[in-house]
Amino acid sequence: SREDMTFDLLRCWQIFQENIAMFMSGVQVTLIYAIIGTLAGFIIGLILGGIRALEINDSDSTPVKVLKRIGRLFTSLYIWVFRGTPMMVQAMFLYYGLQPVIGWNGPTAGLFVISINTGAYMAEIIRSGLQSVDSGQSEAAKSLGMSTLQTMVHIIFPQAIRNAFPSIGNQLIVNIKDSSMLSVIWVLDLFFQSQSLAGSNYRPVETYFVATVLYLILTTIATLLLNFIEKRMNMKSETRDLCA
């Protein structure tokens, strides 16, 4: 009814108090999926970004050139598909498409989907971070006798990650919000719990307002925490530069 659609701020607080366990359960699931998805996506992105950043040199043997081309083609296709389609569609397709083969449930499929989706974005973030590192760093490392692997692990990757940290952190904030799309495959996140409550108490406006405030609190805390970490990283970097 029209009366049910009117906004009542006091009723928002009552709904939150009466259903705090469900809201907090949803918050917990949302954070778990956002954090695990970001970490797993970072690892995927680190591998794919490293492959995409590989240059095909004239000195490479033919098999190495072929492997590099195949790797770059695969990563380009992966990024094109998962960045070019909505995560909700990916979740529905992969969950129902692979369920007869794998027999997985919604929560497991949700973790898989948010991880591989994040990996596509992380790959581009890592690649741009690698490209931001001065090529002279690699040349200097090689002149000291370091191998390509040692150069990447000890010289290039740490600088690339530090340069790309704001974008990496932003992906966590994106995942806090976008994890709501996984509710379509029965992931019991904050949006799923809010949707269930709105359907049972017939007060959707107030219920979704509570969910909005909770999402805003989560993203604000994450932003402040990431800004603090970034400042600490910059301070340590400046200290090392002064010592050098």
Side-chain angles (χ1 to χ4, degrees):
S1 65
R2 182 176 298 180
E3 184 180 354
D4 292 335
M5 297 302 292
T6 57
F7 181 74
D8 185 345
L9 188 60
L10 180 60
R11 184 60 179 150
C12 293
W13 177 245
Q14 292 174 343
I15 289 173
F16 175 72
Q17 285 185 311
E18 293 169 2
N19 303 279
I20 188 170
M22 286 187 67
F23 281 118
M24 291 301 101
S25 175
V27 166
Q28 182 180 9
V29 172
T30 294
L31 287 176
I32 289 173
Y33 275 73
I35 293 171
I36 293 179
T38 303
L39 291 175
F42 173 74
I43 295 172
I44 295 171
L46 201 61
I47 296 171
L48 298 182
I51 294 174
R52 278 179 64 80
L54 288 175
E55 296 182 355
I56 301 175
N57 303 314
D58 295 334
S59 59
D60 292 335
S61 63
T62 301
V64 171
K65 289 181 179 180
V66 171
L67 287 175
K68 285 184 177 181
R69 291 186 188 278
I70 292 174
R72 293 176 70 172
L73 179 62
F74 170 78
T75 56
S76 297
L77 181 63
Y78 177 94
I79 293 168
W80 175 61
V81 170
F82 285 100
R83 289 185 67 186
T85 55
M87 187 163 66
M88 182 183 292
V89 176
Q90 296 167 17
M92 296 287 283
F93 175 75
L94 292 173
Y95 172 56
Y96 290 108
L98 297 179
Q99 191 179 40
V101 180
I102 302 177
W104 58 5
N105 55 25
T108 303
L111 279 176
F112 177 76
V113 170
I114 196 172
S115 298
I116 61 175
N117 179 275
T118 303
Y121 289 91
M122 286 291 191
E124 285 295 273
I125 292 171
I126 297 298
R127 183 178 68 89
S128 63
L130 290 171
Q131 291 178 341
S132 69
V133 179
D134 188 358
S135 59
Q137 300 278 345
S138 298
E139 296 172 2
K142 290 178 181 178
S143 67
L144 294 174
M146 298 180 69
S147 66
T148 301
L149 181 60
Q150 289 174 324
T151 302
M152 293 296 288
V153 172
H154 298 289
I155 305 297
I156 305 301
F157 273 130
Q159 295 184 67
I161 293 171
R162 186 174 68 247
N163 294 341
F165 183 80
S167 297
I168 294 172
N170 184 65
Q171 197 59 45
L172 172 63
I173 297 171
V174 170
N175 281 343
I176 291 175
K177 297 180 294 181
D178 286 359
S179 60
S180 60
M181 299 182 188
L182 301 176
S183 62
V184 296
I185 55 173
W186 306 99
V187 173
L188 308 182
D189 69 322
L190 177 56
F191 178 73
F192 184 95
Q193 301 287 17
S194 302
Q195 197 173 31
S196 300
L197 285 172
S200 62
N201 63 18
Y202 301 104
R203 302 294 300 192
V205 178
E206 288 84 355
T207 303
Y208 287 123
F209 177 80
V210 173
T212 300
V213 172
L214 290 174
Y215 273 115
L216 188 59
I217 291 172
L218 291 178
T219 55
T220 300
I221 292 174
T223 300
L224 293 174
L225 181 61
L226 291 168
N227 287 341
F228 173 77
I229 295 173
E230 184 180 356
K231 287 180 180 178
R232 295 285 296 180
M233 290 174 64
N234 291 336
M235 287 174 62
K236 289 182 179 180
S237 177
E238 291 173 0
T239 301
R240 284 196 298 267
D241 292 342
L242 287 173
C243 292

